[in-house]
Amino acid sequence: PWRKRAHSGTDGGTMSEAATDFPRITRRTLHDEVLERVRDMIIEGRLEPGQRINEGLIGAQLGVSRTPMREAIKTLASEGLVEILPAKGAVVRKFSARDLYQVLEVLKALEQLGGQIACAEASDETIAAIHALHRRMLELYATRERLEYFKLNQAIHSAMVAASGNQVLLEMHGTLQSRIKRLRFIGNEGPEKWAGAVAEHEEMMAALLKRDAPALSAAIGKHMESTLTRVRGVL
């Protein structure tokens, strides 16, 4: 958030002056760029479950050597999106309905706990920042920018957990959330499914803004159960 700071005047006194603290600009590394591109290819289905990842071919398409491709694949394997198999190399991971159910059950518990703590302890500025992400997500939904919508949607889930201030909770949530990104993305295929997910996010945000922990927990539970239904139908 932007802040106002007091500055000393030239006469030695102190004057109140509006000053803006802008967020620092971070430079993305080649690894970050390649990682995001390959991850997006998996999420959007351009690399399908069970498909071997041809490092040379995809690297050539992206205009990079094998080294950054291998680094990206290692990261994706740690996220659970890719498996390294003997004699086959890197393969896009396949998930069963049981895998999905188990991950979503744990994600639901983690997000409900994070939401409960956030309602009690998060600052007004933190909640306002999450609400701003939600409004931007609705703008992307209105223009049907699906991949960017999805990324922001996932960022909101992470932000609500992060608002708890519990780093262990955030790390566990991040690991599991990364693992089923492709499945959650396809869960919004079709206008009715997508609209349903947006409506559930509206309920979650309304509860968070009121700091109503029981209502937020119920909304998160509903959202996760609906996600399971939406995704299971297209597995």
Side-chain angles (χ1 to χ4, degrees):
W2 293 357
R3 303 190 297 273
K4 290 187 177 181
R5 298 180 297 183
H7 293 263
S8 296
T10 55
D11 60 357
T14 301
M15 63 179 180
S16 177
E17 178 181 302
T20 304
D21 286 343
F22 290 100
R24 294 174 65 89
I25 295 174
T26 57
R27 296 190 179 188
R28 289 169 63 85
T29 65
L30 179 61
H31 170 73
D32 293 333
E33 294 284 356
V34 175
L35 175 61
E36 182 173 12
R37 293 287 293 277
V38 179
R39 186 190 289 120
D40 287 350
M41 293 172 77
I42 294 173
I43 291 172
E44 292 184 288
R46 286 178 283 165
L47 290 173
E48 298 180 350
Q51 180 178 344
R52 178 177 172 273
I53 300 177
N54 188 319
E55 296 175 5
L57 178 61
I58 296 175
Q61 292 174 346
L62 299 180
V64 298
S65 67
R66 286 181 179 268
T67 299
M69 276 295 303
R70 285 172 181 161
E71 291 175 352
I73 287 170
K74 286 180 181 178
T75 302
L76 292 169
S78 72
E79 293 179 357
L81 287 173
V82 168
E83 292 180 295
I84 309 298
L85 302 179
K88 290 192 71 174
V91 175
V92 178
R93 184 173 177 178
K94 284 184 176 180
F95 287 89
S96 67
R98 181 175 176 80
D99 293 332
L100 174 66
Y101 173 78
Q102 291 179 343
V103 172
L104 284 177
E105 277 292 286
V106 178
L107 275 176
K108 178 173 72 172
L110 295 176
E111 291 193 13
Q112 286 175 326
L113 175 58
Q116 179 180 354
I117 300 172
C119 284
E121 300 182 10
S123 68
D124 292 341
E125 291 78 11
T126 296
I127 291 179
I130 297 173
H131 189 210
L133 292 177
H134 175 74
R135 292 197 304 270
R136 174 58 183 153
M137 185 192 76
L138 294 180
E139 292 173 0
L140 293 171
Y141 172 64
T143 55
R144 298 302 188 268
E145 297 176 59
R146 189 162 169 240
L147 181 58
E148 293 308 311
Y149 162 92
F150 174 76
K151 290 179 179 180
L152 194 52
N153 176 294
Q154 296 293 278
I156 290 169
H157 281 270
S158 297
M160 285 196 292
V161 173
S164 71
N166 188 316
Q167 189 61 34
V168 175
L169 183 62
L170 181 60
E171 290 173 3
M172 293 177 65
H173 179 265
T175 297
L176 291 178
Q177 183 169 247
S178 295
R179 193 169 297 173
I180 58 169
K181 281 184 176 178
R182 166 61 185 163
L183 295 179
R184 295 189 78 168
F185 181 77
I186 63 176
N188 286 339
E189 287 181 342
E192 291 185 8
K193 290 181 178 181
W194 196 356
V198 171
E200 289 155 16
H201 262 259
E202 291 270 45
E203 291 179 17
M204 290 160 57
M205 189 54 53
L208 179 63
L209 289 171
K210 294 177 182 176
R211 295 181 180 269
D212 186 338
L216 178 56
S217 182
I220 290 171
K222 175 184 175 182
H223 181 56
M224 290 300 184
E225 289 160 12
S226 297
T227 297
L228 177 62
T229 300
R230 286 190 289 262
V231 176
R232 190 160 50 193
V234 292
L235 268 177

